[in-house]
Amino acid sequence: MLIVLNHKMNLTKEEVVAYEKIIREKTYDDTLVVCPSIAYLPYFQGENYKLGSQIVSQYDGGSHTGEVSAKQLRSLNVSHCLVGHSETRKDHNETELELNKKIKVLLKNGIIPILCIGETQEERDQNKAEDVLTRDLRNCLRELSKEEISKVIVAYEPIWAIGSGNVPSNETIEQTVSMIKTFIEEQYQESVKVLYGGSINKHNYTILKTIFNVDGFLIGGFGLDVQGIQEMLEI
Ligand code: 13P
């Protein structure tokens, strides 16, 4: 299982230092990826977990104030990077073309992109989820080679489940993950790992873990509770 913790824009330096001290002391059966705020990447250099970034620039480098390049992330031992999280799509008006460029620049620098996709409540109610998700996959993964596709991880995060306490049924998650995997196999003759994300906590984790085709989880709010995460990883 791959467990990705997205800290979003939370924690102070002191809190981060204390958090990291706790996670670096354990060994994990699952692969743990921590995505702190980029300001704190240098504080997460332990060897028993992996480091993820929440953002990356679509550009290689140069005059782009406020951006961070894939090459710079790589120099800080970043191995994974979130791409197209619904919050960055909204806050930065990211287009699918930009996300496609970000995926390419990450792969060029040896970083695994975690492409986040998800439908709104309205789109699900109108039975448009499949169309929305496959259009997004097609555009974000444009012109990638088979080898590159095989390195990409997809995170299914329904927008209506993020931070809301609402989690889709296991059946809905299983069907959607299966649809995503089948689409990619048909389009690119490659298989990818698919994670689920949205309102995961200590209690529903044991239920979600029984979904056979999910390869891991992308966790937001609950990931800030370092003790809770340790307990979850011991289950
Ligand atoms: P929550 O787990 O807080 O719902 O956030 C999910 C998320 O956005 C992870 O990227």
Side-chain angles (χ1 to χ4, degrees):
M1 280 270 168
L2 183 65
I3 308 292
V4 184
L5 308 179
N6 175 9
H7 284 182
K8 308 194 178 184
M9 198 172 66
N10 292 296
L11 306 180
T12 62
K13 187 187 106 178
E14 287 70 26
E15 287 166 340
V16 152
V17 169
Y19 186 108
E20 200 279 334
K21 195 161 172 278
I22 294 172
I23 60 165
R24 79 155 59 207
E25 279 165 6
K26 294 266 171 68
T27 48
Y28 305 106
D29 291 338
D30 296 306
T31 303
L32 180 66
V33 181
V34 187
C35 306
S37 162
I38 53 157
Y40 301 137
L41 289 172
Y43 295 96
F44 286 85
Q45 300 290 322
E47 286 178 2
N48 55 336
Y49 60 87
K50 293 184 183 295
L51 183 56
S53 175
Q54 299 174 20
I55 58 161
V56 67
S57 169
Q58 63 179 303
Y59 304 109
D60 280 322
S63 304
H64 299 284
T65 304
E67 299 271 355
V68 60
S69 73
K71 193 173 166 193
Q72 291 172 322
L73 294 175
R74 193 62 229 155
S75 75
L76 289 168
N77 298 320
V78 165
S79 58
H80 293 69
C81 183
L82 303 179
V83 179
H85 191 286
S86 61
E87 289 155 13
T88 59
R89 288 188 199 231
K90 186 161 158 266
D91 290 347
H92 304 289
N93 293 319
E94 287 177 319
T95 63
E96 288 164 348
L97 179 63
E98 281 164 17
L99 299 179
N100 177 249
K101 288 184 183 165
K102 290 182 180 195
I103 290 173
K104 286 178 182 162
V105 81
L106 286 168
L107 289 167
K108 203 170 85 182
N109 285 279
I111 298 176
I112 299 170
I114 303 177
L115 172 62
C116 305
I117 58 171
E119 78 285 356
T120 61
Q121 181 71 65
E122 195 183 359
E123 287 159 348
R124 176 146 293 272
D125 292 345
Q126 294 174 354
N127 278 329
K128 288 185 185 159
E130 181 166 347
D131 287 350
V132 169
L133 299 175
T134 53
R135 189 210 60 221
D136 206 22
L137 285 171
R138 194 178 282 114
N139 290 337
C140 292
L141 302 178
R142 256 175 104 100
E143 294 165 358
L144 261 62
S145 68
K146 249 169 83 69
E147 199 199 334
E148 287 173 322
I149 291 281
S150 70
K151 294 187 180 134
V152 173
I153 295 172
V154 176
Y156 170 53
E157 285 209 314
I159 295 169
W160 51 273
I162 296 175
S164 65
N166 299 324
V167 178
S169 66
N170 276 16
E171 198 188 0
T172 302
I173 297 174
E174 185 191 311
Q175 282 169 359
T176 311
V177 169
S178 165
M179 185 277 292
I180 293 168
K181 290 189 174 187
T182 306
F183 175 81
I184 291 187
E185 269 156 31
E186 284 175 3
Q187 292 286 314
Y188 308 100
Q189 290 75 52
E190 267 305 333
S191 54
V192 292
K193 285 197 171 73
V194 180
L195 316 179
Y196 166 75
S199 292
I200 297 170
N201 59 40
K202 190 159 54 181
H203 309 292
N204 60 24
Y205 177 68
T206 41
I207 301 162
L208 292 165
K209 233 187 133 176
T210 62
I211 308 172
F212 80 97
N213 58 358
V214 169
D215 301 294
F217 297 99
L218 176 53
I219 301 175
F222 176 50
L224 301 172
D225 170 7
V226 69
Q227 298 297 351
I229 287 293
Q230 299 298 310
E231 286 166 29
M232 186 194 93
L233 290 168
E234 277 161 20
I235 294 172

